[in-house]
Structure formats: C-alpha cells, structure tokens
C-alpha cells in the first residue's frame, strides 16, 4: 500500500511538474513570439514590429506544417490522401489523443492538411 | 483597466505575491506554484485572475479592479521552489492536478476555439485486410475489418471506438475447406476530454499505453510485419485494453524536444470480451523532432494476483535524410521478458526502376523472449528467438501488399512462418452534409 501511494505520488508529481513547466514556457512564448498558425490569408501573417512572427507567409506555414507532419505522423504511417477539411479536423483530434501530438504541432498539421 | 502598483524593484526572478485589499479587507494571493515557475519580469496571467506583472509594476484588472492591493513580495530561489514541490503530499498533488485540468491553459484553448478551424464531423475510418499465414506449414486465412468510429462533440470532446471483425479460418481434419468463427471485438470505446493543451482525460475502455506497439503500430495498415511481437502481451492486459481512466498529453518541453506522458488506472472486468485486469501505470516519452528520435519508458503495477511490477523501454528513430525507420522495445515482467528491433527501409532512393522502387519497403525484425517465473497463457511457454524479413509494396497510400518470412527457434521446436496479404485503409464521413 505504501509503495503504491509513493508510486502514484511520484508519477503525479512528475506529470504536474512537466505540465507546469510547459505551461509556463507556452505562455511566455505565446506572449513574446507567437507561432500559432492561422488559416487566414498570407497578408494577415506578416510580421509586426512588436511581435515578430515565425510564420511569415503561406509558403512558410506550409513548409512548417509539412515538416511537422513528417516528424509526427510519419513516425507511424504514410501520408494519407488529402481529406476534406472537416474530416481532417476530426482525425487530427483523434491522433492528438492517440499519438500525443502537441497542441502547436496539431495546429500546424491541420493547417497544412486542410489548405 | 485596473490599477497600477509600481514596484520599486523589478528584478527578474521567482516571487510570491500576496496582499490585502484596503477596501474589502479580502486577502488575495497568487498561488505559489504559478509564480514559482514564471519570470517576474514578463507579463503573464494567473488563470482567471487577470493580474499582469510587468517591468512597470503589477497591473491589476477585472476581479481585483476594485481592490487596492498592497503587494508584498518574497523572492524564492529556484532551489526553494523545488524543495517546496518535493514536500507536496499526495492529496495536494492530486488536488493540484485537478485544478490544472480545469484551469491550466484555458486562455489558450479559448483563443483556439475562436479560430477559424473547420468544425469537425463524425468520421468512420479503419482498415480491411486479408492476411494468409503459413505457421509451421499450417495455413490460416485471416479476413479482417477494423472500423474506427470518431464522433467529435463540441470543441473539446471526442468519442472514439474501434470495432474489429476477424476470423482465423483453418483446415480441420476430416472436413474440406477452411472453417472458423467470426470474432467480434470492441478494441476500445472511450470518451476523451481535451482539458487543455497539455492534458487529455480519457475514460472508458482504452488501449493500454504500455510500450508503443499496442497503441500505435497494432492496426494492420500501419504495422510493417503482420505478425505480433512475442512480447506484445506483456503489460497490456488480457484483451489488450484497460477499463478505467487515463490522463495523457504531449507538450514542448524546450524548443528542441517534446515530452509525452500517459498515466492510467484500470479496474478488474471479467465480462468477456471486455475483460481487463486491475492495474495502474504510466508511460513517459521524449520526442526530438529535428532528429526524429523518440525514447521512453513504461511502468505498471498489477493490483491483483501476484501484485507484480512490469516495466519497459521503447525507442524509434527516423533519420530525416533517409527513408528509414528503426523501432524497438524491451519489456520485463514476472511472466517473461524480451525485446524486438525492427528496421524498415523504403527503396525510394534507389536510382533504377524508380516507379516500382519508391513503392517498395524492406523490413526485418529480430526478437527474443525469455519465460518468466509466473506462467502465462498469452505468452510463449519456452524461450524463443525469431527472425523475420518482409517486403511491402504500396500500390497507393492506403492499399498495400505485404509479405514476410520468419524463422522461429524455440525449445518447443523450430518452425517457419510465412505471411502474405493485402491491407486497405479507408476513411469517410458519417452521415450527410458539407465536409468542406
């Protein structure tokens, strides 16, 4: 019983620490250098003076999306045919849970697969 | 816009902020855990409390807008923050995790919900296949249909299920033709709640996240070789699945690597074919996207029978410059231990017959199994080594011909294992309506 409690406590503490650390990093990154992809036209993705964007235009977003697709999805399977956007969003939600893809990677991949 | 309290000293560091309102006399405090992990000098939010700590001071907004806070600061060293964490009791840890599930990352998800991402539709996807196996000369015909039903609910929920219909048709003495029963299985039926970008909560019947093969490489359209690894039954329960609850997620730890984790509890179920054992465990992995390297480990504690522990390690590598995969696992339990290593190479870089070569994949798998102290029906009864080689040909993305040859060396007898077959992956929307 003691061993079980200690194991659960250690496991929980590890998860908690990782989540908090990532949350802090994500928030700092989100406020200082947002990298969130958008499905908006390329003109709305141009960098601003106060917050430089990682994604400069549609070509960069596509490149980043493809890179992340190959790194994450390509670990297990080949690239599927392009599916309709609303189907792809469902499948990405499924794969986010199954393959534990990060939130940021998922958004890049969805933008790439539904463009 | 709230009040601005100027701070005389705004050195970046770890701080705790607390104070009492001069009007309502309420005591307000930021939680230690939030502050201890954030830089004092960078603007940020504390969950629902919209306080922003900037170089100029503390901007107090919304909930605190009617309060005049006398900010007291105490600088915490990083070591003190770690010490504080280590003294957390189990109950505090669980409470904090509960709070995290509810609040951490809520602003990020809210922003995400407002984006112009298309609304998801229910989808049926999965695979169909026909695999013929010659096991020690005995032919087995294996038709199989495995359908994954995905039903998204609102922005954060997903119901998913995989249902498999398969048969193992064999020749029976004294009868002509092949005979067998159709097995109907619910591999998993789970409800997922994406609580925030770092945590997904799953309840129901789910594939046990012990190692990587059961969760990720099991479907016939994904696996490179159609035979199961010898150590697959270790740690995944009597029907490859658990019945209970799980938290899991993946997040970027630094700019160079991501962390993924899963922690779960399964209860005892004797309802066949939805049976499961009572155990708890977890898996932790690190993924380096630039090098495409993934390593991790799994742990499980059985809460019944011999109350034994199981653990395992897994790894995968895909060099970006080569169409090459390398996967492997090592697992150990009281029932047995073993490993498998599986390299696969797509011949897309071969300079001749490119149209055919780029569709061809060569695969090999080396594996070994050692019997443990506790006998198991699902594992082999004797120490075994097995080598397999295979060739896969991709007609298109979803349609593939597979073949392999394997040789098994065991104290119970050596044998050859041949497989040949076709696999097909499908996906279509469920119901009518616009899918664009």
């Amino acid at each position: 019983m003691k061993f079980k409690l200690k194991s659960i406590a250690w496991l929980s503490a590890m998860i908690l620490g990782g989540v908090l650390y990532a949350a802090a990093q994500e928030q700092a990154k989100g406020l200082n250098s947002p990298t969130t992809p958008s499905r908006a036209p390329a003109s709305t993705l141009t960098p601003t003076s106060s917050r430089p964007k990682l994604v400069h235009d549609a070509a960069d977003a596509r490149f980043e999306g493809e890179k992340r697709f190959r790194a994450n999805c390509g670990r297990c399977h080949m690239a599927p045919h392009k599916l309709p956007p609303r189907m792809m969003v469902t499948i990405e939600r499924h794969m986010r849970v199954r393959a534990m893809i990060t939130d940021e990677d998922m958004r890049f991949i969805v933008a790439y697969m539904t463009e | 816009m709230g009040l601005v309290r100027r701070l005389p000293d705004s050195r970046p560091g770890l701080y705790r902020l607390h104070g009492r309102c001069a009007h309502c006399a309420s005591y307000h405090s930021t939680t230690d855990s939030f502050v201890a992990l954030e830089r004092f000098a960078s603007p940020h939010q504390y969950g629902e409390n919209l306080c922003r700590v900037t170089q100029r001071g503390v901007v107090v907004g919304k909930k605190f807008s009617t309060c005049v806070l006398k900010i007291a600061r105490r600088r915490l060293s990083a070591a003190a923050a770690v010490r504080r964490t280590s003294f957390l009791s189990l109950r505090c840890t669980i409470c904090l995790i509960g709070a995290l599930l509810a609040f951490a990352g809520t602003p990020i998800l809210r922003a995400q919900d407002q984006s112009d991402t298309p609304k998801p539709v229910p989808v049926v996807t999965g695979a169909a296949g026909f695999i013929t196996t010659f096991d020690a000369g005995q032919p087995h015909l294996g038709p199989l249909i495995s359908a994954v039903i995905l039903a998204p609910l609102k922005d954060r929920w997903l119901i998913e299920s995989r249902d498999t219909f398969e048969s193992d048709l064999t020749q029976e003495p004294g009868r002509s033709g092949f005979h067998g029963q159709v097995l109907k299985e619910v591999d998993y039926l789970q409800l997922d709640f994406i609580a925030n970008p770092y945590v997904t909560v799953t309840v129901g019947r789910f594939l046990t996240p012990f190692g990587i093969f059961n969760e990720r490489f099991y479907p016939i359209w994904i696996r490179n070789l159609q035979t199961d690894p010898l150590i697959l039954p270790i740690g995944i329960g009597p029907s490859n699945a658990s019945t209970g609850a799980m938290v899991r997620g993946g997040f970027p730890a630094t700019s160079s690597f991501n962390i993924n984790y899963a922690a779960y509890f399964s209860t005892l179920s004797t309802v066949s074919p939805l049976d499961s054992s009572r155990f708890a465990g977890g898996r932790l992995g690190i993924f380096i996207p630039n090098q495409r390297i993934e390593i991790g480990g799994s742990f499980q504690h059985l809460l019944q029978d011999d109350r034994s522990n199981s653990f395992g390690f897994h790894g995968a590598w895909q060099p970006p410059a080569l169409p090459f995969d390398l996967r492997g696992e090592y697992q150990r339990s009281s029932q047995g231990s073993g490993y498998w290593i599986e390299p696969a190479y797509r011949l897309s870089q071969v300079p001749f017959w490119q149209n055919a070569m780029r569709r061809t994949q060569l695969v090999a798998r080396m594996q070994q199994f050692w019997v443990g102290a506790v006998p198991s029906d699902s594992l082999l009864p004797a120490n075994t080594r097995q080598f397999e080689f295979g060739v896969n040909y991709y007609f298109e993305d979803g349609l593939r011909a597979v073949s392999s040859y394997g040789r098994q060396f065991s104290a119970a007898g050596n044998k050859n294992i041949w497989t040949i077959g076709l696999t097909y992956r499908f996906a279509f929307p469920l119901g009518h309506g616009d899918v664009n």
Side-chain angles (χ1 to χ4, degrees):
Chain A
M1 187 65 179
K2 187 180 175 184
F3 174 77
K4 187 179 75 177
L5 287 177
K6 195 179 285 184
S7 301
I8 294 172
W10 271 107
L11 197 64
S12 305
M14 283 170 60
I15 293 170
L16 175 69
V19 169
L20 279 174
Y21 179 69
Q25 284 225 333
E26 187 72 25
Q27 259 181 352
K29 192 165 61 175
L31 289 166
N32 295 324
S33 59
T35 59
T36 304
S38 168
R39 301 187 72 242
S43 59
T44 64
L45 296 170
T46 50
T48 61
S49 56
S50 59
R51 291 185 174 183
K53 294 269 189 185
L54 180 67
V55 180
H56 294 282
D57 52 29
D60 282 354
R62 189 182 189 285
F63 173 77
E64 192 67 24
E66 183 173 357
K67 192 175 84 173
R68 295 187 189 222
F69 174 85
R70 290 187 184 283
N72 287 279
C73 313
R75 275 189 285 167
C76 298
H77 57 77
M78 306 298 296
H81 280 303
K82 292 272 180 166
L83 296 170
R86 295 181 66 187
M87 283 179 66
M88 189 53 73
V89 173
T90 303
I91 290 173
E92 278 303 324
R93 190 180 292 186
H94 163 66
M95 291 314 301
R96 174 185 181 158
V97 177
R98 179 71 48 220
M100 298 190 284
I101 298 173
T102 66
D103 184 64
E104 185 182 277
D105 287 345
M106 193 202 69
R107 278 180 275 154
F108 271 106
I109 292 168
V110 167
Y112 165 66
M113 295 300 288
T114 58
E115 68 180 356
Chain B
M1 186 66 184
L3 304 175
V4 176
R5 302 289 297 178
R6 207 171 262 286
L7 299 177
D9 181 4
S10 60
R11 283 179 299 170
L14 303 171
Y15 290 88
R16 179 168 59 163
L17 306 179
H18 60 89
R20 189 176 293 280
C21 174
H23 296 311
C24 65
S26 302
Y27 183 80
H28 299 285
S29 173
T30 53
T31 55
D32 295 351
S33 54
F34 277 115
V35 176
L37 289 169
E38 290 175 324
R39 285 181 179 278
F40 176 71
S42 62
H44 60 269
Q45 297 177 339
Y46 302 120
E48 293 295 317
N49 301 328
L50 299 180
C51 299
R52 296 173 60 218
V53 181
T54 70
Q55 292 284 2
R56 295 173 55 226
V58 177
V59 180
V60 184
K62 279 204 169 174
K63 288 190 174 179
F64 290 167
S65 60
T66 58
C67 300
V68 180
L69 291 178
K70 291 180 179 176
I71 302 298
R73 296 174 301 121
R74 185 163 71 86
R75 188 164 186 163
L76 300 174
S77 68
V82 172
R83 274 201 306 275
R84 185 177 292 273
T85 305
S86 68
F87 285 123
L88 285 175
S89 68
L90 175 63
R91 189 174 296 177
C92 288
T93 309
I94 292 171
C95 289
L96 275 172
I97 287 179
L100 269 171
L101 297 182
F103 296 114
T106 300
I108 298 170
L109 264 188
R110 195 177 296 144
Q112 185 184 326
D113 295 345
Q114 291 167 353
S115 69
D116 56 351
T117 304
K119 293 293 179 190
V121 293
V123 168
V124 176
T125 180
F130 194 98
I131 311 296
T132 301
T133 306
F134 295 90
D135 191 341
Q138 172 76 30
H140 297 256
L141 308 183
L144 179 145
I145 295 178
S146 181
V148 178
I149 300 167
L150 307 173
L153 304 172
K154 296 194 174 176
D155 294 321
R156 301 196 198 179
W157 299 83
L158 178 68
I159 297 174
E160 51 181 328
S161 173
R162 188 173 78 198
D163 310 292
T164 301
F165 304 87
E166 64 179 326
S167 186
D168 181 13
L169 305 174
T170 56
Q171 289 176 314
E172 296 176 4
R175 298 180 66 185
S176 61
F178 288 83
H179 303 274
Q181 289 185 328
V182 177
L183 302 176
K184 298 174 281 290
E185 299 158 4
V186 179
D187 298 327
Y188 59 83
L189 173 58
Q190 63 189 65
L191 173 67
D192 304 319
F193 172 59
I194 302 171
N196 61 50
Y198 319 104
V199 179
T200 297
V201 182
T202 295
V203 295
R205 179 175 168 79
F206 52 86
L207 297 176
T208 309
F210 189 87
I212 51 174
F213 193 92
N214 186 40
E215 264 204 326
R216 290 184 11 202
F217 302 132
Y218 191 85
I220 58 169
W221 68 274
I222 292 178
R223 56 169 68 193
N224 291 330
L225 292 168
Q226 294 302 316
T227 55
D228 291 339
L230 301 176
I231 58 171
L232 176 64
I234 294 177
I236 60 174
S239 57
N240 298 10
S242 304
T243 307
M246 168 171 64
V247 290
R248 60 190 296 147
F251 51 85
T254 69
S255 58
S256 58
F257 73 90
N258 301 339
I259 290 177
N260 57 69
Y261 70 91
Y264 56 93
F265 171 80
S266 173
T267 189
L268 176 66
S269 170
T270 55
V271 181
S272 181
L274 306 177
D275 46 345
S276 60
S277 298
R278 189 166 188 267
F279 50 65
R283 186 181 65 195
L284 191 66
I286 291 173
F287 176 52
I288 307 170
N290 289 338
Q291 279 74 41
R292 296 188 188 172
I293 295 174
E294 181 179 12
I295 53 173
S298 307
F299 174 79
Q300 186 181 96
H301 180 62
L302 193 63
L303 298 168
Q304 63 182 51
D305 301 334
D306 62 343
R307 294 183 171 270
S308 59
N309 295 323
S310 305
F311 67 90
F313 302 100
H314 64 264
W317 179 45
Q318 273 191 323
L322 290 172
F324 176 75
D325 282 333
L326 182 63
R327 304 163 178 168
E329 278 187 307
Y330 170 81
Q331 291 173 355
R332 185 176 184 86
S333 73
S334 60
Q335 299 173 332
S337 60
Y339 68 88
W340 61 267
I341 301 173
E342 185 184 286
Y345 184 70
R346 190 87 173 247
L347 300 179
S348 55
Q349 292 182 329
V350 174
F352 53 87
W353 300 340
Q354 284 205 324
N355 190 36
M357 288 299 176
R358 68 183 175 83
R359 298 167 183 268
T360 306
Q361 183 187 41
L362 303 181
V363 193
R365 186 194 285 160
M366 292 142 277
Q367 53 184 333
Q368 202 161 359
F369 171 74
W370 294 278
V371 176
V374 179
S376 169
D377 293 337
S378 55
L379 289 164
L380 294 174
N383 293 350
T384 304
R385 282 179 299 150
Q386 188 168 315
F387 302 91
E388 288 171 274
F389 304 93
V391 180
N392 299 329
Y393 187 84
Y394 291 80
F395 296 103
E396 56 183 62
D397 292 335
L399 182 62
R400 183 177 67 156
V402 295
S403 62
S404 71
Y405 164 74
R407 178 74 176 164
Q408 189 177 96
F409 302 92
S410 168
N414 302 341
K415 64 178 180 180
N416 294 329
I417 301 170
W418 294 85
T419 64
I420 187 166
L422 276 175
T423 66
Y424 175 66
R425 176 188 56 191
F426 56 83
F428 53 86
L430 197 61
H432 300 285
D434 181 20
V435 291
N436 296 307

